[in-house]
Amino acid sequence: MSLLKEIKKELDAFEADGSHCMGINLTRSMAAEVRKELHYLYGRDLGENPTLLFGREVLSIDAPEL
């Protein structure tokens, strides 16, 4: 499963009880993998620092955990 699908699954699970996620903290390895997957999907590099992911602000790309 791709990392993007895993992140979306985690977001959906978090929001299942009506909670709302406003921002995402990614680890360095996750940020690098997300960048690769987005490059593969869109055919161009969207940059080192993604600003949005699934409509949520990316707050950090060097967090200790998701």
Side-chain angles (χ1 to χ4, degrees):
M1 179 184 294
S2 77
L3 180 59
L4 289 173
K5 287 181 181 178
E6 288 180 39
I7 292 171
K8 180 64 173 148
K9 184 178 172 183
E10 289 285 328
L11 285 170
D12 291 344
F14 177 80
E15 294 181 338
D17 68 353
S19 299
H20 185 70
C21 175
M22 300 296 290
I24 300 171
N25 293 307
L26 300 172
T27 65
R28 285 189 183 274
S29 62
M30 292 173 90
E33 183 63 27
V34 163
R35 183 178 182 184
K36 286 180 199 174
E37 287 186 30
L38 291 174
H39 183 253
Y40 175 76
L41 288 171
Y42 295 108
R44 63 187 178 99
D45 188 1
L46 300 176
E48 187 175 302
N49 297 311
T51 55
L52 290 175
L53 194 58
F54 301 110
R56 281 80 172 185
E57 182 180 8
V58 176
L59 302 171
S60 173
I61 60 167
D62 62 354
E65 61 183 15
L66 177 66

Short mmCIF file of all heavy atoms in Angstrom, two decimals:
data_model
loop_
_atom_site.label_atom_id
_atom_site.label_comp_id
_atom_site.label_asym_id
_atom_site.label_seq_id
_atom_site.Cartn_x
_atom_site.Cartn_y
_atom_site.Cartn_z
N MET A 1 0.85 -1.18 0.00
CA MET A 1 0.00 0.00 0.00
C MET A 1 0.89 1.24 0.00
O MET A 1 1.91 1.28 0.67
CB MET A 1 -0.91 -0.02 1.24
CG MET A 1 -1.82 1.18 1.33
SD MET A 1 -2.83 1.28 2.82
CE MET A 1 -3.89 -0.10 2.64
N SER A 2 0.48 2.25 -0.74
CA SER A 2 1.28 3.47 -0.80
C SER A 2 1.15 4.26 0.51
O SER A 2 0.16 4.12 1.25
CB SER A 2 0.84 4.34 -1.97
OG SER A 2 -0.37 5.01 -1.68
N LEU A 3 2.14 5.07 0.76
CA LEU A 3 2.13 5.88 1.97
C LEU A 3 0.97 6.87 1.95
O LEU A 3 0.33 7.11 2.98
CB LEU A 3 3.46 6.62 2.13
CG LEU A 3 3.57 7.52 3.36
CD1 LEU A 3 3.38 6.70 4.64
CD2 LEU A 3 4.89 8.24 3.38
N LEU A 4 0.66 7.42 0.79
CA LEU A 4 -0.48 8.35 0.71
C LEU A 4 -1.78 7.66 1.12
O LEU A 4 -2.59 8.24 1.83
CB LEU A 4 -0.60 8.92 -0.70
CG LEU A 4 0.48 9.91 -1.11
CD1 LEU A 4 0.35 10.27 -2.59
CD2 LEU A 4 0.44 11.15 -0.25
N LYS A 5 -1.96 6.42 0.69
CA LYS A 5 -3.16 5.67 1.07
C LYS A 5 -3.17 5.39 2.57
O LYS A 5 -4.22 5.46 3.21
CB LYS A 5 -3.26 4.36 0.29
CG LYS A 5 -3.64 4.56 -1.15
CD LYS A 5 -3.75 3.25 -1.89
CE LYS A 5 -4.11 3.48 -3.34
NZ LYS A 5 -4.19 2.23 -4.09
N GLU A 6 -2.00 5.09 3.13
CA GLU A 6 -1.92 4.84 4.57
C GLU A 6 -2.25 6.11 5.37
O GLU A 6 -2.96 6.05 6.37
CB GLU A 6 -0.52 4.36 4.94
CG GLU A 6 -0.22 2.95 4.49
CD GLU A 6 1.17 2.50 4.88
OE1 GLU A 6 1.63 2.84 5.99
OE2 GLU A 6 1.80 1.82 4.06
N ILE A 7 -1.74 7.24 4.92
CA ILE A 7 -2.03 8.52 5.61
C ILE A 7 -3.52 8.82 5.53
O ILE A 7 -4.14 9.21 6.52
CB ILE A 7 -1.19 9.66 5.01
CG1 ILE A 7 0.29 9.45 5.34
CG2 ILE A 7 -1.67 11.01 5.53
CD1 ILE A 7 1.23 10.40 4.63
N LYS A 8 -4.12 8.63 4.34
CA LYS A 8 -5.55 8.87 4.19
C LYS A 8 -6.36 7.95 5.09
O LYS A 8 -7.34 8.37 5.71
CB LYS A 8 -5.95 8.67 2.72
CG LYS A 8 -7.41 8.89 2.44
CD LYS A 8 -7.84 10.32 2.71
CE LYS A 8 -9.28 10.53 2.25
NZ LYS A 8 -9.99 11.48 3.05
N LYS A 9 -5.95 6.71 5.21
CA LYS A 9 -6.62 5.74 6.09
C LYS A 9 -6.55 6.21 7.54
O LYS A 9 -7.54 6.16 8.28
CB LYS A 9 -5.98 4.37 5.93
CG LYS A 9 -6.64 3.27 6.70
CD LYS A 9 -5.96 1.94 6.41
CE LYS A 9 -6.48 0.86 7.31
NZ LYS A 9 -5.80 -0.41 7.10
N GLU A 10 -5.37 6.69 7.97
CA GLU A 10 -5.20 7.21 9.34
C GLU A 10 -6.09 8.44 9.57
O GLU A 10 -6.71 8.57 10.63
CB GLU A 10 -3.75 7.58 9.60
CG GLU A 10 -2.81 6.41 9.71
CD GLU A 10 -2.96 5.67 11.03
OE1 GLU A 10 -3.28 6.30 12.05
OE2 GLU A 10 -2.74 4.45 11.02
N LEU A 11 -6.16 9.34 8.59
CA LEU A 11 -7.01 10.52 8.71
C LEU A 11 -8.47 10.13 8.85
O LEU A 11 -9.19 10.67 9.70
CB LEU A 11 -6.83 11.44 7.50
CG LEU A 11 -5.56 12.24 7.43
CD1 LEU A 11 -5.42 12.91 6.07
CD2 LEU A 11 -5.51 13.28 8.53
N ASP A 12 -8.91 9.21 8.01
CA ASP A 12 -10.31 8.76 8.07
C ASP A 12 -10.62 8.12 9.40
O ASP A 12 -11.69 8.35 9.98
CB ASP A 12 -10.61 7.80 6.93
CG ASP A 12 -10.62 8.47 5.56
OD1 ASP A 12 -10.69 9.72 5.51
OD2 ASP A 12 -10.54 7.76 4.55
N ALA A 13 -9.70 7.31 9.93
CA ALA A 13 -9.91 6.67 11.22
C ALA A 13 -9.98 7.71 12.34
O ALA A 13 -10.80 7.62 13.24
CB ALA A 13 -8.79 5.66 11.51
N PHE A 14 -9.11 8.72 12.27
CA PHE A 14 -9.09 9.78 13.27
C PHE A 14 -10.40 10.57 13.26
O PHE A 14 -10.93 10.94 14.30
CB PHE A 14 -7.91 10.73 13.03
CG PHE A 14 -7.85 11.89 13.97
CD1 PHE A 14 -7.33 11.73 15.25
CD2 PHE A 14 -8.31 13.14 13.60
CE1 PHE A 14 -7.27 12.80 16.13
CE2 PHE A 14 -8.25 14.22 14.47
CZ PHE A 14 -7.73 14.05 15.74
N GLU A 15 -10.93 10.81 12.06
CA GLU A 15 -12.12 11.64 11.92
C GLU A 15 -13.43 10.84 12.00
O GLU A 15 -14.51 11.42 11.91
CB GLU A 15 -12.05 12.43 10.62
CG GLU A 15 -10.92 13.45 10.64
CD GLU A 15 -10.82 14.28 9.37
OE1 GLU A 15 -11.32 13.83 8.31
OE2 GLU A 15 -10.25 15.37 9.45
N ALA A 16 -13.34 9.55 12.19
CA ALA A 16 -14.53 8.70 12.20
C ALA A 16 -15.51 9.06 13.31
O ALA A 16 -16.72 8.90 13.15
CB ALA A 16 -14.13 7.23 12.33
N ASP A 17 -15.02 9.57 14.42
CA ASP A 17 -15.91 9.92 15.55
C ASP A 17 -16.37 11.38 15.51
O ASP A 17 -16.93 11.88 16.47
CB ASP A 17 -15.21 9.63 16.88
CG ASP A 17 -14.02 10.55 17.15
OD1 ASP A 17 -13.65 11.33 16.26
OD2 ASP A 17 -13.47 10.47 18.26
N GLY A 18 -16.12 12.07 14.39
CA GLY A 18 -16.54 13.46 14.26
C GLY A 18 -15.44 14.45 14.54
O GLY A 18 -15.64 15.66 14.39
N SER A 19 -14.27 13.97 14.95
CA SER A 19 -13.12 14.87 15.14
C SER A 19 -12.69 15.41 13.79
O SER A 19 -13.03 14.86 12.75
CB SER A 19 -11.94 14.11 15.76
OG SER A 19 -12.28 13.61 17.02
N HIS A 20 -11.93 16.50 13.81
CA HIS A 20 -11.46 17.07 12.55
C HIS A 20 -9.97 17.35 12.65
O HIS A 20 -9.51 18.00 13.59
CB HIS A 20 -12.21 18.35 12.21
CG HIS A 20 -11.84 18.90 10.88
ND1 HIS A 20 -12.20 18.29 9.70
CD2 HIS A 20 -11.14 19.99 10.53
CE1 HIS A 20 -11.73 18.98 8.69
NE2 HIS A 20 -11.08 20.02 9.17
N CYS A 21 -9.23 16.85 11.69
CA CYS A 21 -7.78 17.06 11.64
C CYS A 21 -7.50 18.36 10.90
O CYS A 21 -7.96 18.54 9.77
CB CYS A 21 -7.13 15.88 10.91
SG CYS A 21 -5.36 16.09 10.66
N MET A 22 -6.75 19.26 11.52
CA MET A 22 -6.42 20.54 10.91
C MET A 22 -5.03 20.55 10.29
O MET A 22 -4.76 21.33 9.39
CB MET A 22 -6.50 21.66 11.95
CG MET A 22 -7.87 21.82 12.57
SD MET A 22 -9.12 22.32 11.40
CE MET A 22 -8.63 23.98 11.07
N GLY A 23 -4.13 19.70 10.78
CA GLY A 23 -2.76 19.69 10.28
C GLY A 23 -2.12 18.33 10.44
O GLY A 23 -2.57 17.50 11.22
N ILE A 24 -1.06 18.12 9.65
CA ILE A 24 -0.36 16.84 9.64
C ILE A 24 1.12 17.08 9.92
O ILE A 24 1.72 17.99 9.35
CB ILE A 24 -0.50 16.16 8.27
CG1 ILE A 24 -1.97 15.90 7.94
CG2 ILE A 24 0.30 14.87 8.21
CD1 ILE A 24 -2.22 15.44 6.53
N ASN A 25 1.69 16.27 10.79
CA ASN A 25 3.13 16.27 11.05
C ASN A 25 3.70 15.00 10.45
O ASN A 25 3.29 13.90 10.81
CB ASN A 25 3.42 16.31 12.55
CG ASN A 25 2.99 17.60 13.18
OD1 ASN A 25 3.36 18.67 12.75
ND2 ASN A 25 2.19 17.51 14.23
N LEU A 26 4.65 15.13 9.53
CA LEU A 26 5.28 13.99 8.89
C LEU A 26 6.70 13.80 9.40
O LEU A 26 7.37 14.78 9.73
CB LEU A 26 5.35 14.20 7.37
CG LEU A 26 4.03 14.38 6.62
CD1 LEU A 26 4.30 14.77 5.18
CD2 LEU A 26 3.21 13.11 6.68
N THR A 27 7.15 12.56 9.44
CA THR A 27 8.56 12.31 9.74
C THR A 27 9.37 12.63 8.48
O THR A 27 8.82 12.77 7.38
CB THR A 27 8.79 10.84 10.13
OG1 THR A 27 8.50 10.02 9.00
CG2 THR A 27 7.93 10.44 11.33
N ARG A 28 10.69 12.73 8.63
CA ARG A 28 11.54 13.01 7.46
C ARG A 28 11.39 11.95 6.38
O ARG A 28 11.27 12.26 5.20
CB ARG A 28 13.01 13.11 7.88
CG ARG A 28 13.35 14.38 8.58
CD ARG A 28 14.86 14.49 8.76
NE ARG A 28 15.20 15.68 9.50
CZ ARG A 28 15.38 16.88 8.95
NH1 ARG A 28 15.25 17.01 7.66
NH2 ARG A 28 15.68 17.91 9.69
N SER A 29 11.38 10.68 6.79
CA SER A 29 11.26 9.61 5.79
C SER A 29 9.89 9.62 5.12
O SER A 29 9.78 9.37 3.92
CB SER A 29 11.56 8.25 6.42
OG SER A 29 10.62 7.95 7.43
N MET A 30 8.85 9.92 5.88
CA MET A 30 7.50 10.00 5.31
C MET A 30 7.42 11.16 4.32
O MET A 30 6.83 11.02 3.24
CB MET A 30 6.45 10.18 6.40
CG MET A 30 6.28 8.97 7.29
SD MET A 30 5.18 9.33 8.65
CE MET A 30 3.64 8.89 7.91
N ALA A 31 8.00 12.31 4.67
CA ALA A 31 7.97 13.47 3.78
C ALA A 31 8.68 13.16 2.47
O ALA A 31 8.20 13.53 1.39
CB ALA A 31 8.60 14.67 4.47
N ALA A 32 9.81 12.47 2.55
CA ALA A 32 10.55 12.09 1.34
C ALA A 32 9.72 11.14 0.48
O ALA A 32 9.67 11.28 -0.75
CB ALA A 32 11.88 11.47 1.71
N GLU A 33 9.07 10.17 1.11
CA GLU A 33 8.26 9.21 0.37
C GLU A 33 7.03 9.87 -0.25
O GLU A 33 6.67 9.59 -1.39
CB GLU A 33 7.83 8.05 1.27
CG GLU A 33 7.05 6.96 0.57
CD GLU A 33 7.83 6.25 -0.52
OE1 GLU A 33 9.07 6.20 -0.45
OE2 GLU A 33 7.19 5.75 -1.47
N VAL A 34 6.39 10.78 0.49
CA VAL A 34 5.24 11.52 -0.04
C VAL A 34 5.67 12.32 -1.26
O VAL A 34 4.97 12.35 -2.29
CB VAL A 34 4.61 12.43 1.04
CG1 VAL A 34 3.71 13.48 0.43
CG2 VAL A 34 3.85 11.59 2.06
N ARG A 35 6.84 12.96 -1.18
CA ARG A 35 7.35 13.73 -2.31
C ARG A 35 7.53 12.84 -3.54
O ARG A 35 7.14 13.21 -4.65
CB ARG A 35 8.66 14.39 -1.93
CG ARG A 35 9.23 15.28 -3.00
CD ARG A 35 10.51 15.93 -2.54
NE ARG A 35 11.02 16.82 -3.57
CZ ARG A 35 12.17 17.47 -3.49
NH1 ARG A 35 12.92 17.35 -2.40
NH2 ARG A 35 12.58 18.25 -4.46
N LYS A 36 8.10 11.65 -3.35
CA LYS A 36 8.30 10.71 -4.46
C LYS A 36 6.96 10.28 -5.05
O LYS A 36 6.80 10.22 -6.27
CB LYS A 36 9.06 9.47 -3.99
CG LYS A 36 10.51 9.68 -3.73
CD LYS A 36 11.14 8.37 -3.28
CE LYS A 36 12.45 8.59 -2.59
NZ LYS A 36 12.99 7.35 -2.01
N GLU A 37 6.00 9.94 -4.18
CA GLU A 37 4.70 9.48 -4.67
C GLU A 37 3.96 10.58 -5.43
O GLU A 37 3.36 10.33 -6.47
CB GLU A 37 3.85 8.97 -3.51
CG GLU A 37 4.32 7.63 -2.98
CD GLU A 37 3.40 7.04 -1.93
OE1 GLU A 37 2.18 7.30 -1.97
OE2 GLU A 37 3.90 6.31 -1.06
N LEU A 38 4.02 11.81 -4.91
CA LEU A 38 3.36 12.92 -5.59
C LEU A 38 4.04 13.21 -6.93
O LEU A 38 3.37 13.53 -7.92
CB LEU A 38 3.35 14.17 -4.71
CG LEU A 38 2.44 14.08 -3.48
CD1 LEU A 38 2.63 15.31 -2.61
CD2 LEU A 38 0.98 13.92 -3.88
N HIS A 39 5.36 13.08 -6.97
CA HIS A 39 6.10 13.27 -8.23
C HIS A 39 5.67 12.22 -9.25
O HIS A 39 5.45 12.52 -10.42
CB HIS A 39 7.60 13.20 -7.98
CG HIS A 39 8.43 13.44 -9.21
ND1 HIS A 39 9.09 12.43 -9.85
CD2 HIS A 39 8.66 14.58 -9.91
CE1 HIS A 39 9.72 12.93 -10.90
NE2 HIS A 39 9.47 14.23 -10.96
N TYR A 40 5.53 10.98 -8.79
CA TYR A 40 5.09 9.90 -9.67
C TYR A 40 3.67 10.16 -10.19
O TYR A 40 3.37 9.98 -11.36
CB TYR A 40 5.14 8.57 -8.92
CG TYR A 40 4.59 7.42 -9.71
CD1 TYR A 40 5.33 6.84 -10.74
CD2 TYR A 40 3.33 6.91 -9.44
CE1 TYR A 40 4.82 5.78 -11.49
CE2 TYR A 40 2.81 5.85 -10.17
CZ TYR A 40 3.55 5.30 -11.19
OH TYR A 40 3.03 4.26 -11.92
N LEU A 41 2.77 10.62 -9.31
CA LEU A 41 1.38 10.85 -9.69
C LEU A 41 1.21 12.02 -10.64
O LEU A 41 0.40 11.97 -11.57
CB LEU A 41 0.52 11.08 -8.45
CG LEU A 41 0.25 9.88 -7.57
CD1 LEU A 41 -0.42 10.32 -6.27
CD2 LEU A 41 -0.63 8.88 -8.30
N TYR A 42 1.92 13.13 -10.40
CA TYR A 42 1.72 14.36 -11.16
C TYR A 42 2.78 14.61 -12.23
O TYR A 42 2.66 15.56 -13.00
CB TYR A 42 1.64 15.56 -10.21
CG TYR A 42 0.43 15.46 -9.31
CD1 TYR A 42 0.56 15.18 -7.97
CD2 TYR A 42 -0.85 15.61 -9.83
CE1 TYR A 42 -0.55 15.06 -7.15
CE2 TYR A 42 -1.97 15.50 -9.03
CZ TYR A 42 -1.81 15.23 -7.69
OH TYR A 42 -2.92 15.11 -6.89
N GLY A 43 3.85 13.80 -12.26
CA GLY A 43 4.86 13.95 -13.29
C GLY A 43 5.77 15.14 -13.13
O GLY A 43 6.49 15.51 -14.05
N ARG A 44 5.73 15.78 -11.97
CA ARG A 44 6.64 16.89 -11.68
C ARG A 44 6.86 16.96 -10.19
O ARG A 44 6.03 16.51 -9.40
CB ARG A 44 6.12 18.21 -12.22
CG ARG A 44 4.83 18.68 -11.60
CD ARG A 44 4.30 19.92 -12.32
NE ARG A 44 3.04 20.33 -11.76
CZ ARG A 44 2.90 21.30 -10.87
NH1 ARG A 44 3.93 21.98 -10.46
NH2 ARG A 44 1.71 21.60 -10.40
N ASP A 45 7.97 17.54 -9.83
CA ASP A 45 8.32 17.65 -8.42
C ASP A 45 7.57 18.84 -7.82
O ASP A 45 7.73 19.97 -8.26
CB ASP A 45 9.83 17.84 -8.27
CG ASP A 45 10.29 17.77 -6.84
OD1 ASP A 45 9.46 17.56 -5.94
OD2 ASP A 45 11.50 17.92 -6.62
N LEU A 46 6.77 18.58 -6.81
CA LEU A 46 5.99 19.64 -6.16
C LEU A 46 6.75 20.32 -5.03
O LEU A 46 6.20 21.16 -4.34
CB LEU A 46 4.66 19.08 -5.66
CG LEU A 46 3.77 18.48 -6.74
CD1 LEU A 46 2.52 17.87 -6.13
CD2 LEU A 46 3.41 19.52 -7.77
N GLY A 47 8.00 19.93 -4.83
CA GLY A 47 8.84 20.61 -3.85
C GLY A 47 9.07 19.82 -2.59
O GLY A 47 8.39 18.85 -2.29
N GLU A 48 10.06 20.28 -1.87
CA GLU A 48 10.50 19.61 -0.64
C GLU A 48 9.52 19.79 0.51
O GLU A 48 9.39 18.94 1.37
CB GLU A 48 11.86 20.19 -0.25
CG GLU A 48 12.53 19.52 0.89
CD GLU A 48 13.92 20.08 1.12
OE1 GLU A 48 14.73 20.02 0.18
OE2 GLU A 48 14.16 20.59 2.22
N ASN A 49 8.82 20.91 0.54
CA ASN A 49 7.92 21.23 1.64
C ASN A 49 6.47 21.30 1.17
O ASN A 49 6.00 22.36 0.76
CB ASN A 49 8.31 22.56 2.28
CG ASN A 49 9.67 22.53 2.89
OD1 ASN A 49 9.98 21.62 3.64
ND2 ASN A 49 10.50 23.49 2.55
N PRO A 50 5.75 20.18 1.23
CA PRO A 50 4.34 20.24 0.83
C PRO A 50 3.57 21.13 1.79
O PRO A 50 3.82 21.14 3.00
CB PRO A 50 3.88 18.78 0.94
CG PRO A 50 4.82 18.16 1.92
CD PRO A 50 6.13 18.88 1.76
N THR A 51 2.66 21.93 1.27
CA THR A 51 1.88 22.82 2.13
C THR A 51 0.55 22.20 2.53
O THR A 51 0.07 22.44 3.63
CB THR A 51 1.63 24.16 1.44
OG1 THR A 51 1.01 23.94 0.18
CG2 THR A 51 2.94 24.91 1.23
N LEU A 52 -0.04 21.41 1.63
CA LEU A 52 -1.31 20.76 1.91
C LEU A 52 -1.24 19.29 1.53
O LEU A 52 -0.57 18.92 0.56
CB LEU A 52 -2.45 21.40 1.11
CG LEU A 52 -2.88 22.80 1.49
CD1 LEU A 52 -3.92 23.31 0.50
CD2 LEU A 52 -3.43 22.85 2.89
N LEU A 53 -1.95 18.48 2.28
CA LEU A 53 -2.06 17.06 1.99
C LEU A 53 -3.47 16.64 2.40
O LEU A 53 -3.84 16.76 3.57
CB LEU A 53 -1.00 16.29 2.77
CG LEU A 53 -0.73 14.85 2.37
CD1 LEU A 53 -0.32 14.77 0.90
CD2 LEU A 53 0.38 14.27 3.24
N PHE A 54 -4.26 16.23 1.43
CA PHE A 54 -5.67 15.87 1.66
C PHE A 54 -6.44 17.03 2.29
O PHE A 54 -7.31 16.84 3.14
CB PHE A 54 -5.79 14.62 2.53
CG PHE A 54 -5.13 13.42 1.94
CD1 PHE A 54 -3.98 12.90 2.51
CD2 PHE A 54 -5.64 12.82 0.80
CE1 PHE A 54 -3.36 11.79 1.97
CE2 PHE A 54 -5.02 11.72 0.24
CZ PHE A 54 -3.88 11.20 0.82
N GLY A 55 -6.10 18.26 1.90
CA GLY A 55 -6.79 19.43 2.40
C GLY A 55 -6.40 19.85 3.81
O GLY A 55 -7.00 20.75 4.38
N ARG A 56 -5.38 19.22 4.36
CA ARG A 56 -4.88 19.59 5.70
C ARG A 56 -3.50 20.19 5.56
O ARG A 56 -2.70 19.78 4.73
CB ARG A 56 -4.77 18.36 6.61
CG ARG A 56 -6.07 17.91 7.21
CD ARG A 56 -6.80 17.13 6.23
NE ARG A 56 -7.99 16.49 6.79
CZ ARG A 56 -8.72 15.68 6.07
NH1 ARG A 56 -8.40 15.40 4.83
NH2 ARG A 56 -9.79 15.13 6.59
N GLU A 57 -3.21 21.17 6.39
CA GLU A 57 -1.90 21.83 6.36
C GLU A 57 -0.82 20.87 6.86
O GLU A 57 -0.99 20.20 7.87
CB GLU A 57 -1.93 23.06 7.26
CG GLU A 57 -0.65 23.84 7.27
CD GLU A 57 -0.70 25.06 8.17
OE1 GLU A 57 -1.67 25.24 8.92
OE2 GLU A 57 0.27 25.82 8.12
N VAL A 58 0.29 20.82 6.14
CA VAL A 58 1.45 20.04 6.59
C VAL A 58 2.23 20.96 7.51
O VAL A 58 2.82 21.95 7.08
CB VAL A 58 2.31 19.56 5.40
CG1 VAL A 58 3.54 18.84 5.90
CG2 VAL A 58 1.51 18.66 4.50
N LEU A 59 2.22 20.66 8.80
CA LEU A 59 2.82 21.51 9.81
C LEU A 59 4.32 21.28 9.96
O LEU A 59 5.05 22.19 10.32
CB LEU A 59 2.13 21.27 11.15
CG LEU A 59 0.61 21.52 11.16
CD1 LEU A 59 0.02 21.05 12.48
CD2 LEU A 59 0.32 22.98 10.91
N SER A 60 4.75 20.05 9.72
CA SER A 60 6.15 19.71 9.93
C SER A 60 6.55 18.56 9.03
O SER A 60 5.74 17.68 8.75
CB SER A 60 6.36 19.31 11.38
OG SER A 60 7.66 18.82 11.59
N ILE A 61 7.81 18.56 8.57
CA ILE A 61 8.31 17.44 7.80
C ILE A 61 9.48 16.76 8.52
O ILE A 61 10.22 16.00 7.93
CB ILE A 61 8.73 17.84 6.37
CG1 ILE A 61 9.82 18.89 6.38
CG2 ILE A 61 7.53 18.28 5.55
CD1 ILE A 61 10.50 19.11 5.06
N ASP A 62 9.62 17.06 9.80
CA ASP A 62 10.67 16.40 10.59
C ASP A 62 10.18 16.02 11.99
O ASP A 62 10.91 16.06 12.96
CB ASP A 62 11.93 17.25 10.66
CG ASP A 62 11.71 18.59 11.36
OD1 ASP A 62 10.56 18.91 11.69
OD2 ASP A 62 12.70 19.29 11.57
N ALA A 63 8.91 15.66 12.06
CA ALA A 63 8.31 15.26 13.34
C ALA A 63 8.80 13.87 13.75
O ALA A 63 9.20 13.09 12.90
CB ALA A 63 6.79 15.26 13.22
N PRO A 64 8.77 13.56 15.03
CA PRO A 64 9.20 12.23 15.48
C PRO A 64 8.24 11.12 15.04
O PRO A 64 8.64 9.96 14.92
CB PRO A 64 9.24 12.34 16.99
CG PRO A 64 8.53 13.58 17.36
CD PRO A 64 8.47 14.44 16.14
N GLU A 65 6.97 11.44 14.79
CA GLU A 65 5.99 10.45 14.34
C GLU A 65 4.84 11.15 13.65
O GLU A 65 4.67 12.36 13.76
CB GLU A 65 5.48 9.61 15.51
CG GLU A 65 4.76 10.41 16.57
CD GLU A 65 4.34 9.56 17.75
OE1 GLU A 65 4.83 8.43 17.90
OE2 GLU A 65 3.48 10.03 18.52
N LEU A 66 4.03 10.38 12.91
CA LEU A 66 2.86 10.93 12.21
C LEU A 66 1.87 11.49 13.20
O LEU A 66 1.58 10.89 14.21
CB LEU A 66 2.19 9.84 11.37
CG LEU A 66 0.93 10.23 10.63
CD1 LEU A 66 1.24 11.27 9.56
CD2 LEU A 66 0.30 9.01 9.99
#
